[in-house]
């Protein structure tokens, strides 16, 4: 049975034109060359996404924090894949929100079934 990290990765890569890359030795999902989710190495128990609408909610989760390297100032949040209050559906929603922020409008429209 696939773990939460594998399910999040699979969902991220199912989004329109999403691809996987491995910079810095970690797994990331990109859309047209722009990262929308960092998943860390294969044993990672955290993910990093860019959030606007859900930013405060994500930071309220125990173990969540603004992402380092100055990314937190731009809305990136690093959070545990398992913690009280986190479900796979919520992780999926945050990955999709990050995708919507990073992806070109045409791809977001395709995600919404408008194209």
């Amino acid at each position: 049975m696939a773990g939460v990290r594998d399910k999040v990765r699979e969902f991220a890569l199912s989004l329109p034109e999403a691809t996987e890359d491995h910079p810095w030795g970690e797994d990331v999902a990109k859309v047209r060359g722009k990262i929308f989710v960092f998943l860390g190495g294969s044993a990672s128990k955290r993910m990093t996404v860019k959030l606007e609408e859900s930013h405060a909610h994500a930071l309220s989760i125990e173990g969540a924090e603004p992402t380092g390297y100055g990314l937190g100032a731009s809305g990136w949040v690093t959070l545990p894949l398992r913690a009280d209050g986190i479900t796979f559906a919520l992780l999926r929603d945050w990955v999709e929100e990050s995708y919507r922020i990073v992806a070109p409008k045409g791809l977001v429209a395709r995600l919404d079934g408008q194209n």
Side-chain angles (χ1 to χ4, degrees):
M1 183 172 164
V4 173
R5 183 187 180 282
D6 291 336
K7 289 179 182 178
V8 168
R9 179 183 162 274
E10 184 178 313
F11 173 73
L13 295 175
S14 76
L15 297 170
E17 293 190 26
T19 59
E20 186 172 43
D21 198 1
H22 309 282
W24 316 290
E26 65 179 275
D27 298 336
V28 301
K30 294 181 171 183
V31 58
R32 294 205 181 158
K34 292 182 173 185
I35 296 172
F36 66 94
V37 62
F38 294 84
L39 290 166
S42 61
S44 177
K45 296 180 177 161
R46 298 164 59 90
M47 76 172 189
T48 299
V49 287
K50 186 170 187 170
L51 301 174
E52 292 172 354
E53 185 177 318
S54 303
H55 190 262
H57 179 211
L59 285 175
S60 75
I61 300 294
E62 185 174 342
E65 61 188 7
T67 305
Y69 306 104
L71 294 173
S74 297
W76 290 89
V77 178
T78 300
L79 48 114
L81 294 172
R82 292 191 180 268
D84 287 341
I86 291 187
T87 63
F88 174 65
L90 185 56
L91 294 171
R92 190 178 60 223
D93 288 348
W94 287 340
V95 168
E96 184 176 326
E97 181 177 340
S98 186
Y99 175 89
R100 288 173 178 276
I101 292 166
V102 173
K105 291 177 183 173
L107 292 180
V108 173
R110 189 161 64 171
L111 184 64
D112 291 334
Q114 297 173 6
N115 283 348

